[in-house]
Amino acid sequence: MNVLIIEDELPTQRMMTDLISNIRPDWQILACLDSVRDSVDWLKTHPNPDLIFSDIQLSDGICFEIFDAIQPQSFVIFVTSYDEYAIQAFRVNSVDYLLKPIEPAMLEKSIEKLDAMQKQVKATELLGSDYKELAEALLSGQKKYRTRMAVPTADGFVKINVNDIAFFYSSQKTTTAITFQQVNHVVDHPLDKLEKQLDPEQFFRANRQFIINIDAVSRVNNWFNGKLVVKTKPESEEKIIVSRERARFFRNWLDR
């Protein structure tokens, strides 16, 4: 299989390249592109790849603009940050998708689905998919955010509601959720992943170490060089500092 990757996040590009090379070492990755414009130009000047992995939201638009301009005779596996509720907009079962962050097992399943699909349908038959309708449904769909999490314990796990968490704290590759009742829970998710799963109206990524609940904010003090210090209830053992670059976004978040 000749493969084209369309993805505007460089770390995801590299991860996908490594995963594909490990799962299907005989496949050839033709190129990694990061925009609608570059993808259209490339597809105009190269033979159709057998398979395209494409992010939906790109730096200069959505990938469906590519398929409007060029109708590649290729199978497509979409890569997206949209949640599974929005993904129900896919009405053609011959189009698969991967949710970010991409897990090797899910990529393996997508490739297995493609293997089975190739015996039943030609890539040209996929061009009947209504990509415009799909794009509209995805981009207007209401995103569902995480409302609870299972936290491991010595003899099992417990459920905690996200709204009961005052802030998340990361240190030495360990993430801890501190509740309003001042109970600490070690959780399996890094802050980068949690940031995408939590409602941005309720939670704010203050810095590399903290994500804070708006209901936990008790006071904000000015600090030097335009930085801010956030006081919370319960109080954090570590000082929560918002950088000068993020201070404006933090004020806007509080003032909505």
Side-chain angles (χ1 to χ4, degrees), residues 84-110:
E84 295 190 47
Y85 175 80
I87 294 298
Q88 297 305 316
F90 282 98
R91 296 182 178 180
V92 180
N93 60 12
S94 58
V95 177
D96 204 5
Y97 66 91
L98 291 167
L99 290 176
K100 295 182 182 179
I102 299 170
E103 298 179 2
M106 298 308 297
L107 177 59
E108 182 85 54
K109 287 183 179 180
S110 289

Side-chain angles (χ1 to χ4, degrees), residues 3-5 9 36 40-41 53 74 78 89 99 110 115 126-127 168 176 180 188 210 219-220 240:
V3 179
L4 175 66
I5 297 175
E9 297 177 1
V36 172
V40 171
D41 290 343
F53 286 92
S74 310
F78 292 108
L99 290 176
S110 289
D115 290 340
L126 299 181
L127 298 178
F168 294 89
T176 304
F180 287 100
D188 292 331
F210 286 93
R219 183 178 177 84
V220 182
I240 303 176

Side-chain angles (χ1 to χ4, degrees), residues 232-245:
T232 59
K233 287 186 178 180
E235 188 173 351
S236 168
E237 294 182 1
E238 297 285 337
K239 187 175 292 186
I240 303 176
I241 300 173
V242 179
S243 69
R244 181 177 62 182
E245 292 76 17

Side-chain angles (χ1 to χ4, degrees), residues 61-101:
I62 56 175
C63 70
F64 304 105
E65 298 173 47
I66 301 170
F67 304 127
D68 281 341
I70 301 289
Q71 294 189 338
Q73 299 179 15
S74 310
F75 292 100
V76 179
I77 295 178
F78 292 108
V79 181
T80 177
S81 298
Y82 291 97
D83 60 24
E84 295 190 47
Y85 175 80
I87 294 298
Q88 297 305 316
F90 282 98
R91 296 182 178 180
V92 180
N93 60 12
S94 58
V95 177
D96 204 5
Y97 66 91
L98 291 167
L99 290 176
K100 295 182 182 179

Side-chain angles (χ1 to χ4, degrees), residues 3 17 55 84 112 122 130 143 167 208 210:
V3 179
T17 299
D55 192 358
E84 295 190 47
E112 290 175 357
K122 296 179 180 179
D130 193 339
K143 184 173 178 60
F167 54 86
R208 292 182 180 180
F210 286 93

Side-chain angles (χ1 to χ4, degrees), residues 111-206:
I111 291 176
E112 290 175 357
K113 180 177 179 180
L114 174 64
D115 290 340
M117 183 179 64
Q118 285 180 290
K119 301 175 182 178
Q120 303 175 9
V121 64
K122 296 179 180 179
T124 51
E125 296 178 31
L126 299 181
L127 298 178
S129 302
D130 193 339
Y131 290 118
K132 288 184 178 179
E133 182 177 344
L134 172 57
E136 182 179 351
L138 283 171
L139 296 176
S140 64
Q142 183 178 0
K143 184 173 178 60
K144 287 187 176 180
Y145 296 101
R146 177 185 284 275
T147 59
R148 60 187 181 272
M149 56 178 55
V151 177
T153 62
D155 56 354
F157 62 89
V158 296
K159 178 189 76 74
I160 56 175
N161 294 322
V162 167
N163 287 339
D164 292 334
I165 298 171
F167 54 86
F168 294 89
Y169 171 65
S170 177
S171 177
Q172 298 180 344
K173 298 183 178 180
T174 299
T175 303
T176 304
I178 294 86
T179 69
F180 287 100
Q181 292 74 36
Q182 294 185 280
V183 179
N184 293 3
H185 299 279
V186 175
V187 299
D188 292 331
H189 309 291
L191 292 192
D192 288 345
K193 184 175 181 179
L194 285 171
E195 184 180 8
K196 298 176 182 178
Q197 298 176 348
L198 298 171
D199 186 350
E201 293 290 325
Q202 189 74 18
F203 290 89
F204 184 85
R205 180 71 179 269

